[in-house]
Amino acid sequence: MNADNSVSPRLFIIEDDPSIQMVLSKFLSKTFELNVFGSAVDALSFLHQGSIPDIIISDLNIPEINGLELLTQVKSSGFFKDVPVVILSGEDNSETRIKCFEAGAEDYIVKPFSPKELEVRLKLILKRHGKVVAGN
C-alpha cells in the first residue's frame, strides 16, 4: 500500500543475476509490489498457484526455460495472456528483439539499462493496459 492507500501494481522479476535482482528490487520496490524469481520455472509455478502479476520483467538468458520460452508460455495461456511482459537482455540484435516482439513482448530493454527509464517504461505500459500507478 502507498501513502494514498492505493494498491501498488504487482511486478514479477525473473532474473538469475543477484546483482541485477538487487538493482531492480532497490529501484522498483517504491512503486511496485515485487516478487523476485531466479528462474522462469519458479515464476511459472507461482503463476499456476493463482498469483497473477500486473506486469512481468524477465531476463532473456535464464536457466532451464529462457525468457522467450517463458514469454511464449505466458502469452499462450488463457489466464496470463493479458499480462504485459518486458524482456531484459544483454543481446542487442534486431533478430532477437523481433522474435520477442512477435511472441508478445511489450518491450525489450538492453542491459545495461537505466533503472529510472525502466520504471517509467513500466508505468507507461501499465497505463496503456488501464492500470493506475500511484504517483501518476
Side-chain angles (χ1 to χ4, degrees):
M1 289 279 214
N2 292 322
D4 61 2
N5 292 328
S6 64
V7 177
S8 298
R10 182 180 240 179
L11 169 65
F12 280 14
I13 297 172
I14 305 161
E15 170 62 62
D16 62 327
D17 182 327
S19 62
I20 295 177
Q21 283 180 358
M22 188 181 71
V23 168
L24 290 170
S25 296
K26 180 181 187 311
F27 280 91
L28 299 175
S29 63
K30 296 174 189 85
T31 306
F32 299 93
E33 178 188 326
L34 303 179
N35 291 95
V36 181
F37 304 94
S39 78
V41 172
D42 292 342
L44 286 168
S45 174
F46 203 62
L47 275 171
H48 290 294
Q49 292 172 23
S51 184
I52 301 177
D54 294 297
I55 193 164
I56 297 171
I57 297 175
S58 178
D59 184 12
L60 187 61
N61 297 312
I62 46 180
E64 299 175 72
I65 297 174
N66 70 32
L68 183 56
E69 291 169 28
L70 168 81
L71 174 62
T72 302
Q73 286 190 34
V74 167
K75 292 303 174 181
S76 65
S77 164
F79 291 110
F80 317 123
K81 68 178 176 12
D82 294 329
V83 176
V85 178
V86 174
I87 297 293
L88 278 180
S89 179
E91 290 184 39
D92 187 14
N93 68 67
S94 186
E95 184 180 323
T96 303
R97 283 195 306 271
I98 289 168
K99 281 182 186 173
C100 290
F101 285 127
E102 286 178 342
E106 194 76 33
D107 204 348
Y108 186 102
I109 298 171
V110 177
K111 297 176 188 177
F113 58 90
S114 156
K116 184 63 183 168
E117 179 184 345
L118 175 61
E119 180 184 16
V120 169
R121 285 179 182 232
L122 293 173
K123 287 178 178 180
L124 288 170
I125 290 166
L126 288 169
K127 191 174 180 183
R128 281 197 307 266
H129 284 261
K131 308 267 184 188
V132 176
V133 180
N136 280 352

